[in-house]
Amino acid sequence: LAALTVPGPVGDVPMHQCFLLGQAELGKKVVEGFYYNKQLLNTPYSSDLRPWVEAQVIPKGDVTDSGMYTGQTVLHIAINLRDAALVEWLLKRGADMFARTKGAFFCPELIMIKAGKDPTGSTLGMSWFKNASHSSTSGRLSHAAARSAAFKNTWFSKMAAKCTLKALKEWVQDSDGDDSAYRANPNSSCYYGEFPLSFAASLGEPAICATLLESFHQRREARDSSLEVEFEMAARRNSPEGRYLSAALRRLRAGHAHPAWSYDFDFNYFSNAQDQFGNTAL
């Protein structure tokens, strides 16, 4: 049974592959037989780079992203397949509505960097952009070089090769020439906003959005303890919304009901959940 949670080459487990290949009925049987509780059902993709770093094939300092598909769950896969019935089935079994995809595959093509950092944690900055196939000083394989083959023939790489960084930034972002910088993400394929609700909105699936919202309200009515955790995580964000949520938590200490399920609280922290780039489902 332990092998069922050991990540495969790209961070997946067998349950993921069943649904990813469109084998929903087989996937349901696998879930019922082996991934039978919430913790197992919500097993996310882990970083595809972790085993390479642990084996010291890739130096830890050369890692510029959190992995390729990191954070993807079966709920994300079901939404991507536009399978409303499967989404509902997974939600009834406790699928995590706040699960976040943070892998490079699910991030934008250009990521803003300020003060040498970007939201995904990269510290290599634009030196990585200028030479995406760089190798480490030790001669070991860098993950940028390992993935660069898939990037070389893309339209984006050809455009990037012809443009200066400033010109590319201005073309994509209509920049006003401020001091912000951007790094390229050659592994970007579907930036849908990390959360399941954002995935459904990005794919134009209002029925799935409605199912997710209904499930949220049901869990709120049932006072699902997991909502407390999500509320408190959202309250840590350095944003107007985060400060509003934080103020609600301070009122909790004064004896009020937890705002995660209080109907006196008028901010829908599920619908308005922000991803690492500040975007919501809307």
Side-chain angles (χ1 to χ4, degrees), residues 38-72:
K38 291 181 182 180
Q39 182 179 356
L40 292 170
L41 177 66
N42 291 308
T43 301
Y45 270 67
S46 61
S47 173
D48 61 318
L49 301 174
R50 188 176 68 178
W52 297 93
V53 172
E54 290 176 350
Q56 299 184 339
V57 175
I58 300 174
K60 187 175 182 179
D62 276 5
V63 174
T64 61
D65 61 48
S66 58
M68 183 65 87
Y69 309 107
T70 308
Q72 181 176 222

CSV table of all heavy atoms in Angstrom, one decimal, residues 38-72:
chain,number,residue,atom,x,y,z
A,38,LYS,N,-9.7,11.0,3.0
A,38,LYS,CA,-9.5,12.4,2.4
A,38,LYS,C,-8.0,12.6,2.2
A,38,LYS,O,-7.6,13.2,1.2
A,38,LYS,CB,-10.1,13.4,3.3
A,38,LYS,CG,-11.6,13.5,3.4
A,38,LYS,CD,-12.0,14.6,4.3
A,38,LYS,CE,-13.5,14.7,4.4
A,38,LYS,NZ,-14.0,15.8,5.3
A,39,GLN,N,-7.2,12.2,3.1
A,39,GLN,CA,-5.8,12.5,3.0
A,39,GLN,C,-5.2,11.8,1.8
A,39,GLN,O,-4.4,12.4,1.0
A,39,GLN,CB,-5.0,12.0,4.3
A,39,GLN,CG,-3.5,12.2,4.2
A,39,GLN,CD,-2.8,11.8,5.5
A,39,GLN,OE1,-3.5,11.3,6.4
A,39,GLN,NE2,-1.5,11.9,5.5
A,40,LEU,N,-5.6,10.5,1.5
A,40,LEU,CA,-5.0,9.8,0.4
A,40,LEU,C,-5.7,10.3,-0.9
A,40,LEU,O,-5.0,10.5,-1.9
A,40,LEU,CB,-5.4,8.3,0.5
A,40,LEU,CG,-4.6,7.6,1.6
A,40,LEU,CD1,-5.1,6.2,1.8
A,40,LEU,CD2,-3.1,7.5,1.3
A,41,LEU,N,-7.0,10.6,-0.9
A,41,LEU,CA,-7.6,11.1,-2.1
A,41,LEU,C,-7.0,12.4,-2.6
A,41,LEU,O,-6.9,12.7,-3.8
A,41,LEU,CB,-9.1,11.4,-1.8
A,41,LEU,CG,-9.9,12.0,-2.9
A,41,LEU,CD1,-10.1,11.0,-4.1
A,41,LEU,CD2,-11.3,12.4,-2.4
A,42,ASN,N,-6.5,13.3,-1.6
A,42,ASN,CA,-6.0,14.6,-2.0
A,42,ASN,C,-4.5,14.6,-2.1
A,42,ASN,O,-3.9,15.6,-2.1
A,42,ASN,CB,-6.4,15.6,-0.9
A,42,ASN,CG,-7.9,15.9,-0.9
A,42,ASN,OD1,-8.4,16.2,-1.9
A,42,ASN,ND2,-8.5,15.7,0.2
A,43,THR,N,-3.9,13.4,-2.3
A,43,THR,CA,-2.5,13.3,-2.6
A,43,THR,C,-2.2,14.1,-3.8
A,43,THR,O,-2.7,13.9,-4.9
A,43,THR,CB,-2.0,11.8,-2.8
A,43,THR,OG1,-2.3,11.1,-1.7
A,43,THR,CG2,-0.5,11.8,-3.1
A,44,PRO,N,-1.3,15.1,-3.7
A,44,PRO,CA,-1.0,16.0,-4.9
A,44,PRO,C,0.2,15.4,-5.6
A,44,PRO,O,1.0,14.6,-5.1
A,44,PRO,CB,-0.7,17.3,-4.3
A,44,PRO,CG,0.0,16.9,-3.0
A,44,PRO,CD,-0.7,15.7,-2.5
A,45,TYR,N,0.4,15.9,-6.8
A,45,TYR,CA,1.7,15.7,-7.5
A,45,TYR,C,2.8,16.3,-6.7
A,45,TYR,O,2.6,17.4,-6.2
A,45,TYR,CB,1.7,16.3,-8.9
A,45,TYR,CG,1.1,15.5,-10.0
A,45,TYR,CD1,-0.2,15.1,-10.1
A,45,TYR,CD2,2.0,15.1,-11.1
A,45,TYR,CE1,-0.7,14.4,-11.2
A,45,TYR,CE2,1.5,14.4,-12.2
A,45,TYR,CZ,0.2,14.0,-12.2
A,45,TYR,OH,-0.3,13.3,-13.3
A,46,SER,N,3.9,15.6,-6.6
A,46,SER,CA,5.1,16.2,-5.9
A,46,SER,C,6.0,16.7,-7.0
A,46,SER,O,5.8,16.5,-8.2
A,46,SER,CB,5.8,15.2,-5.0
A,46,SER,OG,6.2,14.1,-5.8
A,47,SER,N,7.1,17.4,-6.6
A,47,SER,CA,8.0,18.0,-7.6
A,47,SER,C,8.7,16.9,-8.3
A,47,SER,O,9.3,15.9,-7.7
A,47,SER,CB,9.0,18.9,-6.9
A,47,SER,OG,10.0,19.3,-7.8
A,48,ASP,N,8.8,17.0,-9.7
A,48,ASP,CA,9.5,16.0,-10.5
A,48,ASP,C,11.0,16.2,-10.3
A,48,ASP,O,11.8,15.3,-10.7
A,48,ASP,CB,9.2,16.2,-12.0
A,48,ASP,CG,9.5,17.6,-12.5
A,48,ASP,OD1,9.3,18.6,-11.8
A,48,ASP,OD2,10.1,17.7,-13.6
A,49,LEU,N,11.5,17.3,-9.7
A,49,LEU,CA,12.9,17.6,-9.5
A,49,LEU,C,13.4,17.0,-8.2
A,49,LEU,O,14.6,16.8,-8.0
A,49,LEU,CB,13.1,19.1,-9.5
A,49,LEU,CG,12.7,19.8,-10.7
A,49,LEU,CD1,12.9,21.3,-10.6
A,49,LEU,CD2,13.5,19.3,-11.9
A,50,ARG,N,12.5,16.6,-7.2
A,50,ARG,CA,13.0,16.2,-5.9
A,50,ARG,C,13.9,15.0,-6.0
A,50,ARG,O,15.0,15.0,-5.4
A,50,ARG,CB,11.8,15.9,-5.0
A,50,ARG,CG,12.2,15.6,-3.6
A,50,ARG,CD,11.0,15.4,-2.7
A,50,ARG,NE,10.3,14.2,-3.0
A,50,ARG,CZ,9.2,13.8,-2.4
A,50,ARG,NH1,8.7,14.5,-1.4
A,50,ARG,NH2,8.6,12.7,-2.7
A,51,PRO,N,13.6,13.9,-6.7
A,51,PRO,CA,14.5,12.8,-6.7
A,51,PRO,C,15.9,13.1,-7.4
A,51,PRO,O,16.9,12.5,-7.0
A,51,PRO,CB,13.7,11.7,-7.6
A,51,PRO,CG,12.7,12.4,-8.3
A,51,PRO,CD,12.3,13.6,-7.4
A,52,TRP,N,15.9,14.0,-8.3
A,52,TRP,CA,17.1,14.4,-9.0
A,52,TRP,C,18.0,15.2,-8.0
A,52,TRP,O,19.2,15.0,-8.0
A,52,TRP,CB,16.9,15.2,-10.2
A,52,TRP,CG,16.1,14.5,-11.3
A,52,TRP,CD1,14.8,14.4,-11.5
A,52,TRP,CD2,16.7,13.6,-12.3
A,52,TRP,NE1,14.5,13.6,-12.5
A,52,TRP,CE2,15.6,13.1,-13.0
A,52,TRP,CE3,18.0,13.2,-12.6
A,52,TRP,CZ2,15.8,12.3,-14.1
A,52,TRP,CZ3,18.2,12.4,-13.7
A,52,TRP,CH2,17.1,11.9,-14.4
A,53,VAL,N,17.4,16.0,-7.2
A,53,VAL,CA,18.1,16.8,-6.2
A,53,VAL,C,18.6,15.9,-5.1
A,53,VAL,O,19.8,16.0,-4.7
A,53,VAL,CB,17.2,17.9,-5.6
A,53,VAL,CG1,17.9,18.6,-4.4
A,53,VAL,CG2,16.8,18.9,-6.7
A,54,GLU,N,17.7,15.0,-4.6
A,54,GLU,CA,18.1,14.1,-3.6
A,54,GLU,C,19.3,13.1,-4.0
A,54,GLU,O,20.1,12.8,-3.2
A,54,GLU,CB,16.9,13.2,-3.1
A,54,GLU,CG,15.9,14.0,-2.4
A,54,GLU,CD,14.6,13.2,-2.1
A,54,GLU,OE1,14.5,12.1,-2.6
A,54,GLU,OE2,13.8,13.7,-1.3
A,55,ALA,N,19.3,12.8,-5.3
A,55,ALA,CA,20.4,12.0,-5.8
A,55,ALA,C,21.6,12.8,-6.2
A,55,ALA,O,22.6,12.2,-6.7
A,55,ALA,CB,19.9,11.2,-7.1
A,56,GLN,N,21.5,14.1,-6.0
A,56,GLN,CA,22.6,15.0,-6.3
A,56,GLN,C,23.0,15.1,-7.8
A,56,GLN,O,24.1,15.4,-8.1
A,56,GLN,CB,23.9,14.7,-5.4
A,56,GLN,CG,23.6,14.9,-3.9
A,56,GLN,CD,24.8,14.6,-3.1
A,56,GLN,OE1,25.8,14.0,-3.5
A,56,GLN,NE2,24.8,15.1,-1.9
A,57,VAL,N,22.0,14.8,-8.6
A,57,VAL,CA,22.2,14.9,-10.1
A,57,VAL,C,22.1,16.4,-10.5
A,57,VAL,O,22.8,16.9,-11.3
A,57,VAL,CB,21.2,14.0,-10.9
A,57,VAL,CG1,21.4,14.2,-12.4
A,57,VAL,CG2,21.5,12.5,-10.5
A,58,ILE,N,21.1,17.0,-9.8
A,58,ILE,CA,20.8,18.4,-10.0
A,58,ILE,C,21.2,19.2,-8.7
A,58,ILE,O,20.7,18.8,-7.7
A,58,ILE,CB,19.4,18.7,-10.4
A,58,ILE,CG1,19.0,18.0,-11.7
A,58,ILE,CG2,19.1,20.2,-10.5
A,58,ILE,CD1,17.5,18.2,-12.0
A,59,PRO,N,22.1,20.1,-8.8
A,59,PRO,CA,22.4,20.9,-7.6
A,59,PRO,C,21.2,21.6,-7.1
A,59,PRO,O,20.4,22.2,-7.9
A,59,PRO,CB,23.5,21.9,-8.0
A,59,PRO,CG,24.0,21.3,-9.3
A,59,PRO,CD,22.9,20.6,-9.9
A,60,LYS,N,20.9,21.6,-5.8
A,60,LYS,CA,19.8,22.3,-5.2
A,60,LYS,C,19.7,23.8,-5.6
A,60,LYS,O,18.6,24.3,-5.8
A,60,LYS,CB,19.7,22.1,-3.7
A,60,LYS,CG,18.5,22.6,-3.0
A,60,LYS,CD,18.5,22.3,-1.5
A,60,LYS,CE,17.2,22.7,-0.9
A,60,LYS,NZ,17.2,22.4,0.6
A,61,GLY,N,20.9,24.4,-5.7
A,61,GLY,CA,20.9,25.8,-6.0
A,61,GLY,C,20.5,26.1,-7.4
A,61,GLY,O,20.3,27.3,-7.8
A,62,ASP,N,20.5,25.1,-8.3
A,62,ASP,CA,20.1,25.3,-9.7
A,62,ASP,C,18.6,25.2,-9.9
A,62,ASP,O,18.1,25.5,-11.0
A,62,ASP,CB,20.8,24.3,-10.6
A,62,ASP,CG,22.2,24.7,-11.0
A,62,ASP,OD1,22.6,25.8,-10.5
A,62,ASP,OD2,22.9,24.1,-11.8
A,63,VAL,N,17.8,24.8,-8.9
A,63,VAL,CA,16.4,24.6,-9.1
A,63,VAL,C,15.7,26.0,-9.1
A,63,VAL,O,15.9,26.8,-8.1
A,63,VAL,CB,15.8,23.8,-8.0
A,63,VAL,CG1,14.3,23.7,-8.0
A,63,VAL,CG2,16.4,22.4,-8.1
A,64,THR,N,15.0,26.4,-10.1
A,64,THR,CA,14.4,27.7,-10.2
A,64,THR,C,12.9,27.6,-10.2
A,64,THR,O,12.3,28.6,-10.4
A,64,THR,CB,14.9,28.4,-11.5
A,64,THR,OG1,14.4,27.6,-12.7
A,64,THR,CG2,16.4,28.6,-11.6
A,65,ASP,N,12.3,26.5,-10.0
A,65,ASP,CA,10.9,26.4,-9.8
A,65,ASP,C,10.5,25.3,-8.9
A,65,ASP,O,11.4,24.6,-8.4
A,65,ASP,CB,10.2,26.2,-11.2
A,65,ASP,CG,10.6,24.9,-11.9
A,65,ASP,OD1,10.5,23.9,-11.3
A,65,ASP,OD2,10.8,25.0,-13.1
A,66,SER,N,9.3,25.1,-8.6
A,66,SER,CA,8.8,24.2,-7.5
A,66,SER,C,8.5,22.8,-8.1
A,66,SER,O,7.9,22.0,-7.5
A,66,SER,CB,7.6,24.7,-6.8
A,66,SER,OG,6.6,25.0,-7.7
A,67,GLY,N,8.9,22.6,-9.4
A,67,GLY,CA,8.6,21.3,-10.1
A,67,GLY,C,7.6,21.6,-11.2
A,67,GLY,O,7.2,22.7,-11.4
A,68,MET,N,7.4,20.6,-12.0
A,68,MET,CA,6.6,20.7,-13.2
A,68,MET,C,5.1,20.8,-12.9
A,68,MET,O,4.4,21.7,-13.3
A,68,MET,CB,6.9,19.6,-14.2
A,68,MET,CG,6.2,19.8,-15.5
A,68,MET,SD,6.6,21.2,-16.5
A,68,MET,CE,8.0,20.5,-17.4
A,69,TYR,N,4.6,19.7,-12.3
A,69,TYR,CA,3.1,19.6,-12.0
A,69,TYR,C,2.7,19.7,-10.5
A,69,TYR,O,1.6,19.3,-10.2
A,69,TYR,CB,2.6,18.3,-12.6
A,69,TYR,CG,3.0,18.1,-14.0
A,69,TYR,CD1,3.9,17.1,-14.4
A,69,TYR,CD2,2.4,18.8,-15.1
A,69,TYR,CE1,4.3,16.9,-15.7
A,69,TYR,CE2,2.8,18.6,-16.4
A,69,TYR,CZ,3.7,17.6,-16.7
A,69,TYR,OH,4.1,17.4,-18.0
A,70,THR,N,3.6,20.2,-9.7
A,70,THR,CA,3.5,20.2,-8.3
A,70,THR,C,2.1,20.7,-7.8
A,70,THR,O,1.7,21.8,-8.3
A,70,THR,CB,4.6,21.0,-7.6
A,70,THR,OG1,5.9,20.5,-8.2
A,70,THR,CG2,4.6,20.8,-6.1
A,71,GLY,N,1.5,20.0,-7.0
A,71,GLY,CA,0.2,20.5,-6.4
A,71,GLY,C,-1.0,20.0,-7.1
A,71,GLY,O,-2.1,20.1,-6.5
A,72,GLN,N,-0.9,19.5,-8.3
A,72,GLN,CA,-2.1,19.0,-9.0
A,72,GLN,C,-2.7,17.8,-8.3
A,72,GLN,O,-2.1,16.9,-7.9
A,72,GLN,CB,-1.8,18.6,-10.4
A,72,GLN,CG,-3.0,18.2,-11.2
A,72,GLN,CD,-2.6,17.9,-12.7
A,72,GLN,OE1,-3.4,18.2,-13.6
A,72,GLN,NE2,-1.5,17.2,-12.9
